[in-house]
Amino acid sequence: KGEVKVLKERLKCEEDKLHSVGLTSEARVNELEDLIRQGEHERRKMHNIIQELRGNVRVFARIRPFLPGEKSTDSITPLGETSLRLSKPNNPEREYKFSFDRVFAPNEGQDAVFGEVSEFVQSALDGYNVCLFSYGQTGSGKTYTMQGTGSGQMGLIPRSIEQIGQYKSTLEADGWNYSIHVTFLEIYNESIRDLLRESDEVFVKHEIKIGDDGNRTVTNLTVKQLDPNDKNAVSSVLQLAARRRSVASTDMNAVSSRSHSVFTLNLTAKHEERNQIIRGKINLVDLAGSERLDRSGVEGKHAKETMSINKSLSSLTDVFSALAQQSSHIPFRNSKLTYLLQPCLSNNGKTLMIVNISPTEASVQESICSLRFASEVAKVELGRPKRGIQEVRKKEQNSSTSKNRRGARNEV
């Protein structure tokens, strides 16, 4: 009996020790989780401060390499990572120099470009309104920069989705519920077309509406829920939009985009225990190329497309010029493109423009025009953007979700 009593006392002592260790371990785990949350908060804060110091409007220039059959010349030369030089073939002594936040030489690939762009994607993940433009003349590599070719040369759109997928997995491991809804549209001759529509025919009319909360939506637009880690689903969405996009063959480009395309990712992260919702948005805009009718050689329908493209690009120029001059009136309503993207181009957003440059001698004059426009964009200061984070209750979460989808046709 004495031995049994001793064993019981020892067992009770061990149980007390295990209980104490368990409490200590639980407390330590909670402490570490608090540190992780604090660290993530500080990371977001420092990331935004760094972006503000660099400027919430940034401009990159990218010189594409010579294509097969093009004559190699020295009409455009990168001067380090932030400047470049142009010279006209008929007047090589006259030089034009431009400086930007980053200049990509012809030998720098898609990974180098996205290495600089990824911080803007991170801003959208942190709850900001972000817009990335790909700008330049026809045949300068805009669509390649945005969409790329194949898995080895992925453009900004698939790489952005990939980065969002990686972050989604990290957040979900920390108790967040993350959802992504995407739309893909084109603005063709000042009319909006749904690039994710089921039918090949274009019947449905789309209009830009402003909700009570100030957010812009496009009516009757297909909204797809997308798992960024599902490569087949991502590929299906991008391939469908590519098939729907309006293109034509011109003297400047065999596959010339005849419209502006806008791929929008609406990002929503919810944490029920913390009663928090983070909402971010990223617009990836592949602008139609500016071109001269005498060079493109188009007639009839395609000439009308060219005039519409140049007019809308002129409206975009007017908006950036007014912003740079801090004008009291910004002409956002002068085109569908600027009106749709007004939230990104005002104090609520962060904007990056990549100006794509053709290296050929025949394109020097268009390149100078593109770079002058990009220099005007670089002068714009948008001020401090607002982050989309709020404390909400569960009922409000459900209500806000339904409001965000009102007026749109959803496919899940």
Side-chain angles (χ1 to χ4, degrees), residues 262-312:
V262 183
F263 181 57
T264 302
L265 297 102
N266 292 284
L267 317 172
T268 305
K270 301 178 182 178
H271 201 296
E272 293 188 2
E273 291 183 4
R274 302 180 195 172
N275 293 324
Q276 282 187 337
I277 295 181
I278 298 176
R279 290 190 181 90
K281 178 186 287 189
I282 181 167
N283 297 285
L284 296 123
V285 185
D286 179 13
L287 295 169
S290 59
E291 59 185 44
R292 297 203 311 261
L293 285 172
D294 59 342
R295 282 202 67 200
S296 61
V298 294
E299 298 177 346
K301 171 188 172 182
H302 297 317
K304 181 181 177 182
E305 292 170 348
T306 296
M307 288 186 286
S308 178
I309 290 168
N310 290 340
K311 183 179 178 181
S312 64

Side-chain angles (χ1 to χ4, degrees), residues 340-394:
L340 176 65
L341 300 176
Q342 182 175 346
C344 300
L345 302 177
S346 58
N347 288 338
N348 291 333
K350 300 184 180 185
T351 298
L352 168 65
M353 177 164 287
I354 301 178
V355 55
N356 297 268
I357 303 298
S358 169
T360 63
E361 283 188 354
S363 300
V364 168
Q365 188 56 50
E366 283 89 350
S367 296
I368 291 173
C369 292
S370 295
L371 292 167
R372 282 174 174 167
F373 168 68
S375 297
E376 285 297 311
V377 175
K379 297 176 184 177
V380 175
E381 296 181 6
L382 292 182
R384 178 170 294 182
K386 297 178 182 178
R387 185 178 175 216
I389 183 170
Q390 60 185 125
E391 304 287 336
V392 293
R393 296 179 181 178
K394 188 175 292 186

Side-chain angles (χ1 to χ4, degrees), residues 26 33 84 139-140 149 196 273 346 367-368 373:
E26 184 178 355
E33 287 179 345
L84 55 84
S140 59
T149 56
L196 300 182
E273 291 183 4
S346 58
S367 296
I368 291 173
F373 168 68

Side-chain angles (χ1 to χ4, degrees), residues 83-323:
S83 61
L84 55 84
R85 179 183 64 227
L86 276 84
S87 59
K88 291 184 177 181
N90 57 353
N91 188 10
E93 295 182 358
R94 175 72 186 277
E95 294 183 346
Y96 300 83
K97 292 184 179 180
F98 296 90
S99 296
F100 300 104
D101 295 292
R102 183 71 161 84
V103 172
F104 296 98
N107 62 344
E108 294 188 86
Q110 302 280 60
D111 53 346
V113 176
F114 189 72
E116 297 286 342
V117 172
S118 61
E119 63 183 64
F120 280 84
V121 180
Q122 184 60 54
S123 288
L125 290 164
D126 289 343
Y128 291 95
N129 204 343
V130 174
C131 190
L132 307 181
F133 288 97
S134 186
Y135 177 82
Q137 71 181 85
T138 296
S140 59
K142 300 180 305 301
T143 301
Y144 173 76
T145 293
M146 273 295 175
Q147 297 187 7
T149 56
S151 59
Q153 296 295 326
M154 293 192 304
L156 298 186
I157 290 177
R159 287 175 187 268
S160 297
I161 295 173
E162 186 176 68
Q163 180 178 344
I164 290 168
Q166 294 170 353
Y167 194 69
K168 174 179 180 288
S169 300
T170 301
L171 282 183
E172 289 178 340
D174 192 33
W176 290 85
N177 179 20
Y178 208 88
S179 64
I180 296 99
H181 291 83
V182 303
T183 61
F184 214 147
L185 61 84
E186 70 173 353
I187 300 175
Y188 173 80
N189 285 348
E190 280 301 287
S191 295
I192 295 175
R193 293 181 176 181
D194 185 359
L195 293 180
L196 300 182
R197 64 186 184 274
E198 294 180 0
S199 171
D200 290 339
E201 301 297 328
V202 183
F203 294 115
V204 180
K205 184 178 181 180
H206 305 282
E207 296 180 348
I208 302 169
K209 297 291 185 181
I210 302 178
D212 295 336
D213 55 1
N215 289 327
R216 277 166 171 71
T217 57
V218 178
T219 61
N220 304 312
L221 197 64
T222 302
V223 180
K224 286 183 177 287
Q225 184 170 339
L226 184 66
D227 179 357
N229 293 314
D230 185 341
K231 293 185 178 180
N232 290 332
V234 171
S235 177
S236 176
V237 166
L238 299 183
Q239 287 177 10
L240 175 60
R243 290 198 304 271
R244 297 273 188 261
R245 184 92 185 266
S246 301
V247 297
S249 177
T250 72
D251 290 349
M252 295 177 67
N253 191 358
V255 186
S256 173
S257 300
R258 313 309 291 168
S259 66
H260 310 301
S261 73
V262 183
F263 181 57
T264 302
L265 297 102
N266 292 284
L267 317 172
T268 305
K270 301 178 182 178
H271 201 296
E272 293 188 2
E273 291 183 4
R274 302 180 195 172
N275 293 324
Q276 282 187 337
I277 295 181
I278 298 176
R279 290 190 181 90
K281 178 186 287 189
I282 181 167
N283 297 285
L284 296 123
V285 185
D286 179 13
L287 295 169
S290 59
E291 59 185 44
R292 297 203 311 261
L293 285 172
D294 59 342
R295 282 202 67 200
S296 61
V298 294
E299 298 177 346
K301 171 188 172 182
H302 297 317
K304 181 181 177 182
E305 292 170 348
T306 296
M307 288 186 286
S308 178
I309 290 168
N310 290 340
K311 183 179 178 181
S312 64
L313 290 174
S314 177
S315 296
L316 183 63
T317 302
D318 292 341
V319 164
F320 277 114
S321 295
L323 288 169

